[in-house]
Amino acid sequence: MSTLPEKRLNKYISESGFCSRREADKLIEQKRVTINGKQPELGTKVTPSDTVFVDGKRINASAENKSDRIYIAYHKPIGITCTTERHVKGNIIDAIGHKQRIFPIGRLDKPSEGLIFLTSDGDIVNKILRAENAHDKEYVVTVDKPLSERFVDRMSRGVPILDTVTKPCQVTIQSRFVFKIILTQGLNRQIRRMCEYLGYDVKKLKRTRIMNVHLAGLKPGQWRDLTRDEMAEINAAVVTSNKTAVDSSKPQAKVNHVSSNTRARVSKERKKHRS
């Protein structure tokens, strides 16, 4: 006797394009989801024969070949907030005005501009956001005073912020006040905090590349669909992800949860900076 294939409820909802898996878990916890008229628990699995509703709206299974998914690149202007909360003035969803339900992958600070992805595919959000995937993100940064080789060296090796030391990264001077930096992590306001630690204030910050996708050709406020080739490279890059999201836009563990080796390195870096 054959059985219908099962899928975790949060994955089923995220793949439909309704929201990300993390947001789906919140909806389940808030008892806004029903399966066959009953309220499920976290971790519940569903089959194609089940009927799923969120806030009274039917959630349909997505196409297996992902032909119904939306993937776009957007040039976020300064002043736009990366939130799906529509009551927030200047939210990214209203700014784009896409006809399909989409949500951002990661975030850019309100005072920053540049490239950000948005999608209706909740599954790929988790894969791309995993810090362990170490996907390149490139930024061009303008600061308030002349740059030095010492600044480049310190930024490249790692700076103590948020009770950790940032991972090594690539930093190159573009002009007297402008540098380019390529990160593989995304701590909360990371570049601004790194610069502040070294005595610099960021005057302008623009993200110019994520993985294999470049900002070039998009003016502030413009967006485009990701190409087939771009999506092929992105999917290949995240194919080994275990799909558990790590929200690297938020501060990481506090110092009492950080390893003793990391605490020692933070202390050493701070002493060096004071000297």
Side-chain angles (χ1 to χ4, degrees):
M1 183 174 126
S2 63
T3 57
L4 293 171
E6 292 184 324
K7 185 176 291 186
R8 287 178 67 92
L9 178 58
N10 61 354
K11 179 178 174 68
Y12 179 92
I13 295 172
S14 73
E15 287 185 347
S16 76
F18 190 84
C19 61
S20 69
R21 284 199 209 180
R22 184 184 293 107
E23 291 171 330
D25 283 335
K26 290 179 182 177
L27 293 173
I28 296 167
E29 290 177 332
Q30 294 166 1
K31 302 188 182 304
R32 294 164 61 185
V33 181
T34 62
I35 303 174
N36 304 325
K38 298 180 180 179
Q39 289 182 339
E41 297 179 351
L42 286 174
T44 297
K45 293 185 178 181
V46 295
T47 69
S49 65
D50 290 318
T51 303
V52 179
F53 281 85
V54 175
D55 293 336
K57 179 182 177 181
R58 176 75 179 265
I59 303 297
N60 296 311
S62 62
E64 286 299 322
N65 64 2
K66 299 190 176 185
S67 60
D68 58 346
R69 317 287 173 90
I70 305 297
Y71 306 94
I72 71 172
Y74 174 56
H75 186 161
K76 186 192 90 66
I78 294 170
I80 296 299
T81 303
C82 293
T83 180
T84 57
E85 299 294 331
R86 304 296 285 274
H87 66 272
V88 176
K89 186 178 180 181
N91 70 80
I92 195 170
I93 304 304
D94 286 341
I96 293 175
H98 200 282
K99 62 182 180 180
Q100 300 291 331
R101 185 185 180 99
I102 56 175
F103 35 88
I105 301 178
R107 60 190 298 119
L108 267 176
D109 295 335
K110 186 175 180 179
S112 303
E113 69 169 302
L115 183 63
I116 187 168
F117 295 157
L118 292 97
T119 183
S120 63
D121 181 358
D123 199 37
I124 204 168
V125 173
N126 294 325
K127 295 177 182 178
I128 291 177
L129 285 184
R130 271 192 66 75
E132 289 84 349
N133 285 335
H135 304 308
D136 281 1
K137 295 182 291 289
E138 180 181 279
Y139 303 80
V140 174
V141 187
T142 303
V143 290
D144 63 331
K145 57 187 181 183
L147 297 163
S148 66
E149 289 303 324
R150 180 179 180 275
F151 172 87
V152 172
D153 178 63
R154 294 301 308 280
M155 288 284 281
S156 300
R157 287 192 286 113
V159 173
I161 61 170
L162 299 171
D163 298 319
T164 188
V165 177
T166 58
K167 293 180 178 179
C169 60
Q170 297 179 45
V171 180
T172 52
I173 293 177
Q174 304 286 287
S175 63
R176 195 177 181 206
F177 296 92
V178 180
F179 69 93
K180 180 173 72 175
I181 183 169
I182 300 175
L183 300 178
T184 55
Q185 64 182 147
L187 302 178
N188 181 259
R189 297 175 66 86
Q190 179 170 344
I191 295 172
R192 295 179 187 276
R193 291 178 190 273
M194 291 171 74
C195 288
E196 182 182 357
Y197 181 83
L198 295 175
Y200 289 76
D201 286 330
V202 171
K203 294 301 182 183
K204 185 177 180 181
L205 191 154
K206 177 188 285 189
R207 185 156 65 196
T208 54
R209 178 174 62 85
I210 301 173
M211 301 167 73
N212 60 312
V213 181
H214 294 261
L215 182 66
L218 285 178
K219 296 178 181 178
Q222 289 185 333
W223 61 269
R224 65 171 176 82
D225 292 315
L226 293 176
T227 67
R228 184 176 297 179
D229 287 345
E230 286 170 339
M231 282 310 304
E233 285 195 45
I234 290 171
N235 282 318
V238 302
V239 71
T240 58
S241 169
N242 73 9
K243 306 176 186 177
T244 302
V246 172
D247 190 352
S248 56
S249 66
K250 295 180 180 179
Q252 302 301 297
K254 295 298 181 183
V255 70
N256 59 323
H257 296 302
V258 177
S259 71
S260 58
N261 287 340
T262 299
R263 288 200 295 271
R265 190 178 168 205
V266 170
S267 177
K268 184 177 178 181
E269 285 289 337
R270 284 176 174 155
K271 286 178 182 176
K272 266 195 208 173
H273 181 66
R274 285 197 293 268
S275 63

